Amino acid sequence: MAEFTPQPSCADAHEPNSLSVAQATQRINDLISPITETETRSLRNALDYVLHDEIVSPINVPPHNNSAMDGYALHGSDIADNKFTLKQVGIAFAGQPFTGNIQQGECIRIMTGAMMPTDCDTVIMQEHVEVNNTLITVHGQHQQSQNVRLAGEDLQTGEVVLNEGHKISPADLGLIASLGIAELTVKRKIRVAFFSTGDELRSIGEELQAGEIYDSNRYTLYGMLSHLNVEIIDMGVVPDQKQALREALQQASEQADVVLTTGGVSVGDADYVKEMLIELGQVDFWKIAMKPGRPLAFGTINNALFFGLPGNPVSVMVTFYQFALPALLQLSGEAVPIKHLLQINCVSPIRKRAGRFEFQRGILFQDEHGVTQVKTTGEQGSGILRSMSIANCFILLEEQCDGIEPNTIVTVQPFSGLI
Ligand code: AMP
Ligand code: MG
């Protein structure tokens, strides 16, 4: 009788056909060309969009020298030791400049933001003067040019203010408004279509029959995509039937720049996603040496990028954050963002076998001395979605790591730095 040889499975620590996390990331990067279509948007409507052209300042900001304090503007050469008296000859408000002349020995009252008169180069704050009708006596030590904000000290005419590929933040809206720019040329939003696969899945609002579960992946995916400036096309649940999958994948790839599916990429008898990808498009890879999330089919269908994410709810989130999210950012034309990683002491022991990269769910917390530490969320099964819900970070454990003792420094990726 022939001897039974077990097939490689996701229970193995190492599997020769798998790519490493770094190789998979590289393969995805190599396949993506950022979108080039642009649109013109009014400033407020450009929030979270990616700039297509650099922004060059058309003006100086501030446009004129102005006072940084409420006080008195004078000729700096009038400053004397400790105590001297000047005559007040006028007043300047923000938006209402003083237009007369100011001689040596004279000063004007000036408010914060008011334009500096051309005669004056220095402001004394009002707390340092004694006022007697129009006679202003200055006390203390002062320096020429103090308390004046110079024209162009924030931005100078002709200066590049923001680069192409920069994503517009709330601060940028203010910065661009300070230049008087009303419209921007940005890259268009990318379109992402997604659906869940599985005969066992019901949508919320439906009654569960024996063996059925609610579809949670479409909700986590919706949530993660909503934090990005992308157009979301939710295509619902597709059963484990080749024809239904074929039609859904065709339709998705015609409508979207990126297609995401969950489930059906493993080696079960009803896992047809990879087969459909082979039929309709190109498979780039479909296995990564990582946990959770080993089966991940990546390739293209028509002009769309395709990510066949695993079915288990935690694997979906891990593979989305580690692979789909960076790909979406790259595709959207955003200059590649920095990965926020921290080195933190882990107080929990972690069991792990060498051979695959693990993304454990962790909780960053402050100990009684105010020092940030990390612990695991406990049970790490890929179906335990609660581990993602209570976690605030991933603990990254390299392929070769074979477990850690309590109080070891580990690499942590906070969820707050993910998007
Ligand atoms: P699969 O990769 O399709 O074999 O799915 C792996 C596991 O994830 C199975 O236990 C599925 O029932 C479960 N699963 C797949 N899709 C979903 C979903 N959309 N929501 C919740 N669980 C799912
Ligand atoms: Mg399935």
Side-chain angles (χ1 to χ4, degrees):
M1 212 167 82
E3 222 175 275
F4 172 73
T5 327
Q7 297 292 306
S9 84
C10 62
D12 299 338
H14 179 70
E15 208 262 282
N17 291 333
S18 308
L19 295 186
S20 69
V21 167
Q23 285 167 329
T25 304
Q26 190 59 49
R27 294 270 279 265
I28 296 170
N29 282 351
D30 290 348
L31 209 77
I32 295 176
S33 351
I35 53 154
T36 49
E37 293 112 303
T38 63
E39 49 187 281
T40 303
R41 300 190 75 83
S42 64
L43 182 55
R44 283 188 184 192
N45 290 320
L47 181 64
D48 290 335
Y49 278 77
V50 174
L51 276 179
H52 183 256
D53 300 324
E54 64 183 16
I55 294 187
V56 174
S57 183
I59 55 170
N60 278 327
V61 180
H64 45 258
N65 293 351
N66 67 93
S67 176
M69 296 284 173
D70 293 319
Y72 294 84
L74 65 152
H75 292 261
S77 51
D78 279 340
I79 292 173
D81 266 355
N82 275 327
K83 191 172 170 189
F84 57 96
T85 301
L86 301 165
K87 183 166 186 286
Q88 186 194 326
V89 296
I91 184 159
F93 292 94
Q96 289 173 42
F98 173 77
T99 50
N101 294 322
I102 302 155
Q103 310 297 330
Q104 295 286 149
E106 294 178 346
C107 67
I108 61 161
R109 173 109 174 93
I110 194 162
M111 309 305 159
T112 306
M115 186 166 156
M116 285 295 285
T118 44
D119 292 337
C120 298
D121 59 359
T122 304
V123 171
I124 308 281
M125 60 198 285
Q126 64 188 31
E127 289 80 353
H128 294 165
V129 309
E130 210 179 297
V131 182
N132 192 349
N133 292 322
T134 58
L135 288 184
I136 309 297
T137 303
V138 179
H139 295 268
Q141 297 287 316
H142 300 281
Q143 255 147 39
Q144 189 158 16
S145 307
Q146 70 182 18
N147 300 327
V148 175
R149 300 190 287 221
L150 298 176
E153 81 175 14
D154 188 354
L155 302 166
Q156 299 212 336
T157 308
E159 192 181 334
V160 174
V161 179
L162 294 169
N163 291 312
E164 185 258 332
H166 181 88
K167 185 172 174 175
I168 302 295
S169 71
D172 300 329
L173 289 188
L175 188 69
I176 298 165
S178 77
L179 304 175
I181 295 175
E183 281 187 337
L184 302 178
T185 307
V186 294
K187 315 218 188 237
R188 77 155 165 85
K189 261 190 201 188
I190 54 177
R191 288 183 285 272
V192 182
F194 64 102
F195 59 85
S196 297
T197 70
D199 285 342
E200 75 281 31
L201 303 176
R202 289 288 154 269
S203 293
I204 50 179
E206 293 175 2
E207 191 85 7
L208 290 186
Q209 306 299 323
E212 295 179 342
I213 58 170
Y214 286 116
D215 172 9
S216 59
N217 290 342
R218 256 167 65 236
Y219 292 84
T220 48
L221 273 182
Y222 172 83
M224 293 186 289
L225 289 167
S226 297
H227 282 172
L228 295 167
N229 190 37
V230 297
E231 209 174 292
I232 299 172
I233 306 168
D234 181 349
M235 295 178 58
V237 177
V238 175
D240 292 317
Q241 292 159 17
K242 290 187 192 176
Q243 186 52 22
L245 278 170
R246 190 178 282 124
E247 282 167 19
L249 286 170
Q250 275 292 9
Q251 192 192 332
S253 68
E254 281 156 18
Q255 291 181 0
D257 303 295
V258 179
V259 179
L260 303 173
T261 62
T262 66
V265 282
S266 200
V267 289
D269 288 348
D271 290 336
Y272 301 127
V273 171
K274 188 181 146 228
E275 190 181 325
M276 285 302 113
L277 179 60
I278 294 169
E279 181 187 310
L280 300 172
Q282 265 91 43
V283 186
D284 195 284
F285 64 81
W286 66 286
K287 262 191 238 170
I288 305 176
M290 67 184 276
K291 190 181 169 189
R294 175 188 302 234
L296 179 142
F298 172 69
T300 49
I301 302 178
N302 298 321
N303 291 323
L305 286 179
F306 174 75
F307 288 88
L309 306 181
N312 278 309
V314 176
S315 310
V316 169
M317 296 197 76
V318 172
T319 49
F320 179 88
Y321 279 135
Q322 300 302 330
F323 300 103
L325 173 62
L328 291 172
L329 297 179
Q330 201 188 333
L331 187 67
S332 70
E334 188 176 344
V336 180
I338 328 157
K339 210 166 173 181
H340 298 277
L341 300 176
L342 307 171
Q343 298 296 314
I344 302 276
N345 185 55
C346 180
V347 298
S348 325
I350 301 183
R351 283 176 44 196
K352 176 185 180 296
R353 280 188 290 166
R356 3 179 203 178
F357 202 115
E358 283 198 23
F359 296 89
Q360 296 233 345
R361 275 71 70 210
I363 300 173
L364 284 164
F365 66 99
Q366 282 191 328
D367 69 11
E368 66 275 21
H369 307 294
V371 177
T372 303
Q373 311 238 35
V374 71
K375 59 186 175 190
T376 71
T377 55
E379 191 46 63
Q380 296 285 318
S382 60
I384 302 175
L385 192 50
R386 189 148 188 277
S387 71
M388 277 302 291
S389 182
I390 59 177
N392 58 17
C393 66
F394 289 121
I395 300 172
L396 275 51
L397 301 169
E398 300 280 342
E399 260 179 57
Q400 68 275 13
C401 164
D402 58 359
I404 63 160
E405 301 292 330
N407 295 319
T408 306
I409 300 291
V410 292
T411 303
V412 164
Q413 186 178 27
F415 291 170
S416 57
L418 280 169
I419 297 184

